Amino acid sequence: MKKFKVVIADDHPIVLMGVRELIEKDILFEVTEQAGTPSDLIKILNVSSPNIVITDFNMPDDHVYGDGIKLINYILRNYSSTDIIVLTMLTNSLIISSLYDLGVRGVVFKNGDLKELIVALNVVSQGGCYYPPNFSLKPMSLRNQEDVKKKISKISVKEFEILRHFVSGLSVGEIAVLLNRSIKTVSAQKISAMRKLELESDQDLLKFCIAKNIFDN
């Protein structure tokens, strides 16, 4: 029987071990490699072609490929023959919906039953998309912008930094702590950036940044 080749990536060794043990109990799947950083994951993908990658959403301290949306978008664009399942603690519906918009084939929540990962693997291996239990996929709209570059050029360095962290999945409060700014300041700078981009909601902002690959460099 031909097995589906799976690569797993997570910055927590215990998670890697647990996920590997779980998957290897299923005769349909074989864990061929595992990675602890985004750079390690990309090195693996450069020399092998797994059927499925299971990756954490947040794997910090990698300044080459980043993590979150940036990393996943990079994998989807450069390794199109490999399907992606995201294993994450993140439950932000806007981020999760955006992952599916990008082309992710499944999302499994770490705070749920990890056995759902096997269900997700089976669905994805058969060409389907796996959605977490009780998760409602909400379509998002993005207004067409003819002068995107002009609008982006109006955003200050500090505002741009806030948007980058927002798109990675951090809340305003978490960004404030990370950047050592007050929540009021971060909120005001985020709102200012949205006005310059002529966007009215967090949903529009997230979709805009992803669709335009603003943080892909």
Side-chain angles (χ1 to χ4, degrees), residues 133-148:
N134 303 318
F135 177 77
S136 176
L137 188 62
K138 300 177 180 178
M140 290 181 279
S141 62
L142 173 66
R143 292 172 297 173
N144 292 325
Q145 302 285 347
E146 296 179 355
D147 53 348
V148 173

Side-chain angles (χ1 to χ4, degrees), residues 8-21 34-36:
I8 53 178
D10 198 291
D11 59 327
H12 294 92
I14 294 178
V15 174
L16 283 175
M17 182 174 63
V19 170
R20 182 165 198 148
E21 288 181 356
Q34 61 186 51

Side-chain angles (χ1 to χ4, degrees), residues 12 18 21-22 24 26 47 49 54 63 67 71 85 88-89 94 96 116 122 126 129 151-152 156 177 186 195:
H12 294 92
E21 288 181 356
L22 177 66
E24 290 183 341
D26 193 303
V47 297
S49 299
I54 298 172
H63 302 295
D67 65 349
L71 172 65
I85 295 175
T88 181
M89 287 293 295
L94 297 179
I96 301 303
E116 289 294 325
N122 277 279
Q126 295 175 31
C129 284
K151 287 183 171 65
I152 294 176
S156 71
V177 172
V186 170
R195 286 174 178 168

